[in-house]
């Protein structure tokens, strides 16, 4: 049989704030804008709610890339949630870079509720960048300890 | 250290503090933490080049004495930890009596004599040789040129690597971790009543000591120190597997310096970095 | 049992032959951190002089994380799968007597009301070749818990260095005898003399406390000032328990690997953690560090003796060497012994 080479399709976890980006993504949908479908959206109340441990958890569960998106500075529904988040990200992205998870896997954006078009551009951009980078084999390798070993499975 | 014993006795006699956290020498000659409760016990206090422990860790661990302040013997780096705890509203300045020691560097290995070369890494880039917040200041500050900072070389080497090489470096380091949590317990700034790794609904960080579980533990621990670590190097000293943990926290400190020109624990009146924000923070990386 | 004279090069050829037959070989790493797997015979260390590794070899029998089973849910059907059996034949070269002695001690608890098949399988598959120890520092106290630098308990084969690169190889267990008989080149020169142990005793670490009095005191004094003294200094990490050759508490958790599959895993745990005894109600019977430290000492020197007639300590001193705040367990026990002596007078 001819071996069909499977094309790599990245899995993206997108943490989006309820008030801006989620609504913006919704607008993209209702406006019937075309976008790639590799991103799974996870709706959180505010970017300030996003604990960096969420991002690590996403990688653990097989994400090849992560997008974090919320309201533009000054637009936060809770006034300052995104300002606090921004300061944290400055550290967190450098920390991940320092252990070898570079910025092609972790993306940040501001997308407001009216920016359906920007959402499409952002999400397509992220997906393309991760697709170019390829699957996150390093994290998948350390995940393997948890997976059912094939030799055990075949015994059944 | 007669000067120290005398002041400690004076403190107890005049009820200036209920206990004094300090160092003592045990039967086998180890210099180790010790808590004096009265002026007899104060006789046992000492301070020398082997007084490595950061005693500020006890300020949040010990029950507050009912009848007075907690006295604490502190070197420059310990004072930074005390300042940080005050900045983070964990202790009040009025509750502690700081007996500051002018420090000329400490040596980790109890069997090694002090020399400029074998000081702990933190002394090689010491940032607070002269204590800046104290009730008493003891000891003489010797003229002393900071030795070469060997950790900086490693840091530069790591930064020059590709992300893949850095990942491999940390994978082999974190693979060794046995999750004894000594790094957490010894850290003066790890004072949460419930650590995130103990939160089990859901279990954010896996308790398994596998490379994956070790990665998330060490990354999140380092992140929780972002802009907060005062560089006492206790985590790295106590790590039974010798993981270079301070590289991570030092990196976080370097970013705090570069982006915000901020050093934690230098001034008790300064607001904390991570607890505040500015509308003009850098956002070049955000689309 | 018989003894033989062997040379360092014979030991190396033994290791080389084992490697060619796909045995796993472990030995103390060069930096004396832990036991590492060797890839060539030149890496093995049989060195009586060196410091005990920072982490004991317990993880070769009782790994820090061990899968009990895997689970997988396919549609509504749940399947459970056993992990691969720990089947690799293993030899540990150059274990310290204080390492080896932990195996029989652990065997008792792992075969108490339940036989831990993973542990037993590993013990069965492992040959421990220990070496007489000539190292001692201020933290060592094997002689106080009934062992010595020449104690053979738990070893299958025992090496005593005689002159440079030459050793007496004592066969200690039947398993060891069966093993070594497969390698005839190791048992060519029988050692006929007697080894004078009395001569060596002067260099043994000095006995720091009398175990019987310590146990007696512990049995009678649950509440005492001494626990507060240590408890207020102890920071409550588990470094002491994790480097210990005999500490064996574990915690069982489920971990996922995606949406529908995962594994149940057994991880090291320690009585020094506050969470170890915390009830779901929020109540914690061992609510402060002094109680937790009391538990540690009592378990090692009182309860375990009562239940299994073994001391849960081999006197290796690892906990003391690694303690972030230099708590010396031998000094604590010395103090306890003084209290007991004072009570008798």
């Amino acid at each position: 049989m001819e071996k069909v080479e499977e094309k790599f399709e990245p899995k993206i976890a997108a943490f989006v704030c309820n008030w801006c980006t989620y609504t913006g993504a919704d607008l993209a949908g209702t406006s019937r804008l075309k976008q790639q479908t590799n991103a799974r959206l996870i709706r959180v109340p505010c970017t300030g709610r996003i604990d960096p441990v969420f991002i690590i958890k996403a990688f653990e569960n097989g994400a090849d890339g992560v997008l974090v998106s919320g309201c533009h500075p000054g637009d936060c529904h809770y006034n300052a949630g995104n300002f606090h988040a921004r300061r944290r990200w400055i550290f967190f992205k450098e920390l991940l870079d320092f252990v070898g998870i570079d910025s092609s896997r972790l993306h940040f954006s501001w997308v407001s509720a009216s920016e359906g078009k920007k959402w499409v551009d952002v999400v397509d951009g992220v997906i393309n960048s991760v697709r170019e980078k390829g699957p996150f084999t390093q994290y998948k390798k350390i995940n393997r300890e948890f997976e059912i070993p094939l030799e055990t499975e075949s015994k059944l | 250290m007669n000067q120290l014993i005398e002041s400690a006795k004076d403190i107890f006699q005049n009820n200036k503090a209920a206990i004094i956290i300090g160092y003592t020498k045990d039967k086998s000659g180890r210099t180790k933490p010790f808590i004096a409760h009265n002026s007899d016990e104060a006789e046992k206090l000492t301070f020398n080049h082997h007084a490595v422990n950061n005693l500020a860790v006890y300020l949040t661990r010990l029950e507050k004495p009912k009848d007075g302040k907690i006295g604490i013997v502190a070197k420059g780096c310990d004072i930074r930890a005390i300042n940080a705890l005050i900045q983070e509203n964990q202790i009040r300045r009025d509750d502690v009596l700081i007996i500051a020691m002018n420090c000329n560097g400490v040596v980790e290995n109890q069997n090694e004599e002090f020399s400029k070369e074998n000081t702990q890494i933190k002394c090689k880039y010491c940032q607070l040789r002269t204590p800046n917040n104290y009730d008493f200041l003891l000891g003489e500050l010797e003229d002393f040129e900071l030795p070469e900072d060997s950790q900086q070389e490693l840091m530069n080497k790591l930064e020059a690597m590709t992300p893949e090489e850095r990942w491999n470096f940390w994978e082999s380091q974190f693979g060794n971790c046995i999750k004894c949590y000594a790094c957490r317990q010894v850290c003066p700034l790890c004072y949460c009543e419930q650590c995130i790794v103990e939160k089990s609904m859901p279990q954010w960080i896996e308790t398994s000591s596998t490379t994956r579980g070790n990665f998330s533990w060490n990354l999140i621990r380092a992140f929780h120190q972002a802009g907060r670590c005062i560089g006492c190097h206790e985590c790295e000293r106590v790590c039974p597997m010798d993981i270079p943990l301070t590289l991570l926290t030092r990196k976080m400190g370097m970013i705090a310096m570069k982006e915000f020109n901020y050093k934690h624990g230098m001034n008790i009146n300064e607001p904390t970095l991570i607890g505040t924000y500015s509308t003009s923070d850098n956002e070049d990386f955000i689309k | 049992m018989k003894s033989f004279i062997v040379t360092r090069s014979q030991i190396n050829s033994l290791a080389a032959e084992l490697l060619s037959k796909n045995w796993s070989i472990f030995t103390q790493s060069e930096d004396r951190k832990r036991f590492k797997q060797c890839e060539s015979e030149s890496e093995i260390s049989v060195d009586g002089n060196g410091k005990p590794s920072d982490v004991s070899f317990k993880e070769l029998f009782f790994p820090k994380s061990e899968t009990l089973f895997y689970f997988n849910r396919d549609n509504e059907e749940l399947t459970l799968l056993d992990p691969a059996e720990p089947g690799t034949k293993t030899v540990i070269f150059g274990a310290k007597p204080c390492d080896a002695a932990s195996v029989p001690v652990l065997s008792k608890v792992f075969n108490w009301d339940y036989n831990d098949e993973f542990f037993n399988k590993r013990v069965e598959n492992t040959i421990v070749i220990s070496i007489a120890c000539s190292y001692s520092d201020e933290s060592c106290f094997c002689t106080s818990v009934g062992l010595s630098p020449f104690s053979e308990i738990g070893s299958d084969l025992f090496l005593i260095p005689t002159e440079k690169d030459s050793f007496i190889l004592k066969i200690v267990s039947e398993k060891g005898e069966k093993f070594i008989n497969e390698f005839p080149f190791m048992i060519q020169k029988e050692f006929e003399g007697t080894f004078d142990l009395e001569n060596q005793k002067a260099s043994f670490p000095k006995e720091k406390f009398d175990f019987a009095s310590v146990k007696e005191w512990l049995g009678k004094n649950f509440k005492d000032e001494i626990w507060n003294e240590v408890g207020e200094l102890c920071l409550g990490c588990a470094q002491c328990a994790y480097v210990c050759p005999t500490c064996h508490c574990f915690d069982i958790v489920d971990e996922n690997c995606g949406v529908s599959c995962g594994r149940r895993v057994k991880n090291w745990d320690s009585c020094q953690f506050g969470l170890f005894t915390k009830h779901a109600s929020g109540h914690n019977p061992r609510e402060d560090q002094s109680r937790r430290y009391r538990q540690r000492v009592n378990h090692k020197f009182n309860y375990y003796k009562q239940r299994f007639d073994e001391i849960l300590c081999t006197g290796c001193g690892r906990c003391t060497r690694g303690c972030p705040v230099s708590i010396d367990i031998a000094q604590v026990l010395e103090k306890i012994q003084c209290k007991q002596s004072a009570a008798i007078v």
Side-chain angles (χ1 to χ4, degrees), chain A residues 86-87 97 108 110 143, chain B residues 166 212 273 278 283 287:
Chain A
R86 183 170 66 184
R87 191 162 269 199
D97 185 64
F108 301 92
W110 305 132
N143 260 332
Chain B
R166 277 201 294 271
R212 176 170 112 173
L273 180 65
S278 153
E283 59 169 24
K287 273 174 231 153

Side-chain angles (χ1 to χ4, degrees), chain B residues 13-14 48 54 88 90 163 175 179 182 207 229:
Chain B
Q13 273 149 15
N14 297 308
N48 56 42
N54 187 343
E88 296 178 12
Q90 297 305 309
K179 288 243 173 115
T207 51
C229 173

Side-chain angles (χ1 to χ4, degrees), chain B residues 122-136:
Chain B
K122 65 177 172 189
C123 308
K124 298 185 175 170
Y125 66 107
C126 181
Q127 304 182 341
L128 193 64
R129 286 199 67 204
T130 321
N132 63 2
N133 178 18
Y134 51 83
D135 296 288
F136 303 91

Side-chain angles (χ1 to χ4, degrees), chain A residues 108-142:
Chain A
F108 301 92
S109 68
W110 305 132
V111 175
S112 79
S114 59
E115 292 177 318
K117 179 74 183 77
K118 182 175 177 186
W119 167 255
V120 173
D121 294 343
V122 165
V123 87
D124 279 346
V126 171
I127 292 165
N128 291 339
S129 133
V130 178
R131 184 180 287 120
E132 198 178 311
K133 185 85 183 167
F136 199 172
T137 43
Q138 293 151 318
Y139 229 108
K140 291 196 199 317
K141 195 180 120 209
I142 63 169

Side-chain angles (χ1 to χ4, degrees), chain C residues 58 60-63 66 86 102-111 115-126 248 266:
Chain C
K58 157 177 89 174
L60 302 180
F61 300 97
F62 169 43
E66 177 170 58
S102 69
V103 181
V105 175
L106 286 173
S107 284
K108 293 236 165 132
V109 73
F110 283 123
N111 290 289
N115 297 329
D116 189 310
E117 52 183 300
F118 298 100
F119 177 84
N120 288 342
K121 197 87 199 165
R122 287 201 177 87
V123 173
E124 204 179 290
N125 281 332
T126 305
H248 53 257
K266 184 168 112 184

